[in-house]
């Protein structure tokens, strides 16, 4: 089988009446199959799928009867596709926000061009978004930058939180047992992390442009709960780099404060230098150990420069009569962002289970 399409659904009957025939037409040049994973729809979604399956003999309904989560629904569908011997597996929404005419391009990228992961992207040339409010766009952009900042292996990807993609079945088979059921909102981040751990730089990824539009029927599944889960997922996949850095910074700052007081009898400049040096050595050592990394000299050198940039910013803000708390926050954020830019975040499989 060339391609198997996974469609997680909750009350998508109206959309499926349009989507399923369109997928059949657009995939006419391929040997295809559709797996619909439904979580207890009450609008007749099951009947629409069963009728399409009866007519085409190219669809299957997996009815789970209750809302068991988007992540587990996608995982269930992908397992079904693997069991059917599909060579490529496409994951997409059933609400028509993911245009079916893009599916052949994703399948072609995997089957013909030999790509391991083809991501339908809103943020590459030719892609875009129609009908979003400023708030929705800001949330999407913020989520994108959060992932790219904390997960360095996604930085070359313009749309690492896309929920529309095709994956090489052979590559997927090697990691599917490590996918969690809770990633939900953006399972692709977890998939990218597992691929990074298992395949490293040999993984071939391409982005295919598409225009994202608001759903035609039904209610969006995106809510506060999903956004919170997304933020927690990014923190987990990044090996909790930010919390670990903040812990390291707190410990280093406390040590620096006590050293400064102990060296008060010395020349003030010398006391400051001693406290700053020992503080930053403490911060970078603890951070590397918490991240499961062997301390490396190059990070000490780079972090020295970052620390003194942050100190310079802090002094300039003090000179500009900026409130102490605000000055500390600004210099701390600058220091954090620069540190994340130089420290390699090394995820391991244990962090995504």
């Amino acid at each position: 089988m060339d391609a198997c399409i996974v469609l997680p659904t909750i009350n998508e009957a109206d959309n499926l009446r349009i989507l399923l025939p369109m997928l059949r037409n657009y995939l006419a040049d391929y040997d295809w199959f559709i797996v619909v994973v439904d979580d207890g729809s009450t609008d007749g979604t099951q009947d629409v799928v069963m009728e399409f399956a009866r007519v085409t003999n190219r669809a299957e309904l997996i009815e789970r009867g209750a809302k068991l989560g988007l992540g587990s629904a996608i995982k269930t569908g992908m397992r079904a596709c693997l069991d059917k011997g599909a060579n490529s597996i496409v994951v997409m929404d059933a609400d028509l926000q993911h245009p079916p005419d893009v599916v052949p391009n994703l399948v072609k990228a995997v089957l013909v061009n030999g790509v391991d992961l083809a991501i339908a992207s809103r943020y590459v040339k030719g892609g875009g978004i129609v009908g979003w409010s400023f708030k929705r766009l800001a949330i999407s952009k913020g989520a994108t930058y959060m992932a790219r900042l904390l997960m360095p292996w996604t930085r070359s990807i313009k749309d690492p939180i896309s929920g529309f993609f095709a994956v090489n079945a052979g590559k997927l088979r090697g990691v599917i047992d490590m996918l969690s059921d809770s990633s939900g909102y953006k399972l692709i981040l977890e998939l990218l992390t597992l691929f990074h751990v298992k395949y490293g730089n040999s993984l071939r990824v391409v982005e295919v442009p598409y225009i994202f539009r608001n759903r035609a029927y039904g209610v969006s599944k995106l809510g506060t709960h999903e956004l919170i889960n997304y933020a927690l997922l990014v923190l987990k996949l990044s090996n909790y780099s930010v919390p670990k850095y903040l812990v390291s910074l707190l410990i280093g700052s406390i040590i620096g404060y006590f050293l400064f007081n102990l060296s008060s009898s010395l020349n003030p400049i010398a006391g400051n230098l001693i406290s700053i040096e020992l503080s930053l050595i403490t911060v970078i050592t603890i951070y590397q150990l918490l991240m499961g990394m062997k301390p490396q000299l190059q990070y000490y050198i780079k972090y020295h420069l970052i620390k003194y940039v942050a100190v310079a910013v802090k002094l300039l803000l003090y000179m500009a009569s900026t409130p102490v708390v605000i000055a500390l926050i600004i210099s701390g954020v600058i220091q954090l962002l620069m540190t994340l830019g130089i420290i390699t975040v090394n995820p391991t499989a244990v962090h995504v289970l």
Side-chain angles (χ1 to χ4, degrees), residues 279-296:
S279 172
L280 70 86
I281 289 173
T282 300
V283 171
I284 201 65
T285 301
I286 293 176
Y287 181 66
Q288 288 181 93
L289 292 175
L290 288 176
M291 292 298 290
M293 300 167 58
K294 182 179 179 180
Q296 299 181 41

Side-chain angles (χ1 to χ4, degrees), residues 242-281:
V242 170
K244 289 178 179 179
Y245 176 74
L246 293 177
V247 169
S248 305
L249 187 60
L250 176 61
I251 295 173
S253 297
I254 292 173
I255 290 175
Y257 174 77
F258 282 109
L259 286 172
F260 177 73
N261 286 333
L262 288 174
S263 61
S264 58
S265 60
L266 299 176
N267 180 284
I269 296 178
N272 264 298
L273 287 175
I274 292 172
S275 64
I276 290 175
E277 287 294 321
L278 292 180
S279 172
L280 70 86
I281 289 173

Side-chain angles (χ1 to χ4, degrees), residues 22 41 49 140 175 202 206 280 349:
M22 292 180 74
S41 292
V49 177
S140 176
V175 301
S202 67
V206 70
L280 70 86

Side-chain angles (χ1 to χ4, degrees), residues 52 71 75 86 134 150 155-156 161 228 254 276 318 321 340:
F52 182 80
K75 186 177 176 181
F134 175 79
L150 300 183
R155 288 176 187 168
S156 63
I161 62 170
I228 292 173
I254 292 173
I276 290 175
Y318 287 159
S321 300
L340 291 174

Side-chain angles (χ1 to χ4, degrees), residues 150-173:
L150 300 183
M151 302 167 61
W153 51 95
T154 69
R155 288 176 187 168
S156 63
I157 300 172
K158 298 291 185 181
D159 197 356
I161 62 170
S162 174
F164 187 13
F165 59 90
V167 61
N168 178 286
K171 285 288 196 293
L172 177 63
R173 197 180 297 275

